[in-house]
Amino acid sequence: MRLLHTSDWHLGRAFHRANMLGAQAEFIGHLVMTVRERGVDAVVVSGDVYDRAVPPLAAVELFDDALHRLADLGVPTVMISGNHDSARRLGVGAGLIGRAGIHLRTAPSACGTPVVLEDAFGEVAFYGLPYLEPALVRDEFAVEKPGHEAVLAAAMDRVRADLATRARGTRSVVLAHAFVTGGEASDSERDITVGGVASVPAGVFDGVDYAALGHLHGCQTITERVRYSGSPLPYSFSEAHHRKTMWLVDLDADGTVTAERVDCPVPRALARIRGTLEELLADPALARHEEAWVEATLTDAVRPADPMARLAERFPHTLSLVFDPERAPDDPDVSYAQRLAGRSDQEIAEDFVAHVRGAGPDEHEQGVLRDAFDAVRADEAVREVAR
């Protein structure tokens, strides 16, 4: 069985101030063409179909168009909700849409109920594990302490239990939206840390033939059977080095996996350039970036006048301007943002405690802070679900 694995469409999202709807529509067209021309038997979409719980109308219309075009091909599609989606909204009409071969899996309670497809060698069971917010699904999975690993492990226990009841030789595919250990994150994924831990081990997916992952925006191979497709389009300059692709996966009769990367259309190249304003305007080596979307980091000791306007004369698609004067790390003029770069909310809070009272929090106090941050995240998740 030949699968096309994609995820993280983020329909409705912009790239800085650049509208991406046209590029997203071009990607949908490319996906449909790939399904038709490469003999795809099933499409799997591993979450974050939309960029937010209540997407703009234009994004909903594009999704509707995608569903119709996929259904017209007669190729089954399995989709799950991600942490950016509203699972309940995405799942509206799932039963009816399923009759057209588009299978939406957004309910945690259905993790152990697969979509079963057939090829010449027998059945393939597709299990959809939507994004599982630990605080919201702890009762469903009866876990004592909510965390990503605990709820995913419980969901996978249901998958393996169902698989054990099926005919010998039944192959299996799991769709999941999670941060798996070994994956490389970018700046455009929403933080899903709970209890100080964001990732889960790849071993949680043991026992299935292929795990089609979503959430991380870079295409990655965690193991031969556990892969991220990544987002089909860039959503931050940290993705400038990404090759945006989908996975074309062949699942043989014995469950052997072979995979090929299929490139996605590139609306415009990304470039990150750095130097003083005068250097950036004069350097002939930067000519190759003049038509790219540009993030320019200026290292001038004193902020120059009208930097964006001057940069735009040479780089008309400059979208991001960063000031990073070259100073010693202990220079009192180093910006607050620079001092916080790369630090988690927990670390920033602990630094604040140390600054106020002269000593950092002890182990118990660290736990209190961690629980507080988790409670805020859980409350935000509940509010988003209720919108």
Side-chain angles (χ1 to χ4, degrees), residues 275-298:
T276 66
L277 179 59
E278 296 304 325
E279 289 170 345
L280 299 184
L281 294 176
D283 188 350
L286 299 181
R288 67 186 189 278
H289 299 314
E290 289 176 356
E291 294 304 315
W293 278 324
V294 168
E295 177 186 74
T297 299
L298 299 184

Side-chain angles (χ1 to χ4, degrees), residues 61 95 148 164 182 336:
E61 291 174 339
H148 291 297
Y336 182 67

Side-chain angles (χ1 to χ4, degrees), residues 39-93:
V40 171
D41 298 305
V43 177
V44 295
V45 186
S46 300
D48 282 354
V49 174
Y50 292 122
D51 187 56
R52 56 182 187 262
V54 184
L57 179 58
V60 177
E61 291 174 339
L62 180 55
F63 180 57
D64 181 63
D65 177 64
L67 294 184
H68 278 84
R69 295 172 73 178
L70 288 168
D72 287 345
L73 291 175
V75 175
T77 299
V78 185
M79 295 183 173
I80 61 171
S81 50
N83 62 303
H84 280 249
D85 299 308
S86 166
R88 292 172 65 182
R89 282 189 174 84
L90 188 63
V92 168

Side-chain angles (χ1 to χ4, degrees), residues 9 26 47 53 61 88 100 104 107 119 122 174 181 203 205 208 217 226 267 283 303 307 309 343 373 381:
W9 296 356
E26 185 179 358
E61 291 174 339
R88 292 172 65 182
L104 299 174
D119 64 8
V174 165
T181 304
F205 299 107
V208 296
H217 287 185
V226 180
D283 188 350
R303 186 173 301 207
R343 301 185 67 75
F373 282 117

Side-chain angles (χ1 to χ4, degrees), residues 152-229:
L152 264 177
M156 282 301 300
D157 284 344
R158 293 188 184 183
V159 168
R160 286 184 283 264
D162 179 83
L163 196 55
T165 68
R166 299 190 175 274
R168 184 179 179 84
T170 299
R171 289 155 292 161
S172 54
V173 175
V174 165
L175 289 72
H177 197 86
F179 189 168
V180 174
T181 304
E184 180 184 350
S186 64
D187 291 343
S188 52
E189 298 108 3
R190 184 181 294 170
D191 179 41
I192 59 171
T193 301
V194 173
V197 178
S199 64
V200 300
V204 77
F205 299 107
D206 287 350
V208 296
D209 294 307
Y210 185 69
L213 301 182
H215 180 58
L216 299 184
H217 287 185
C219 182
Q220 302 170 59
T221 300
I222 305 301
T223 73
E224 288 304 306
R225 296 185 182 276
V226 180
R227 298 172 188 262
Y228 282 99
S229 67

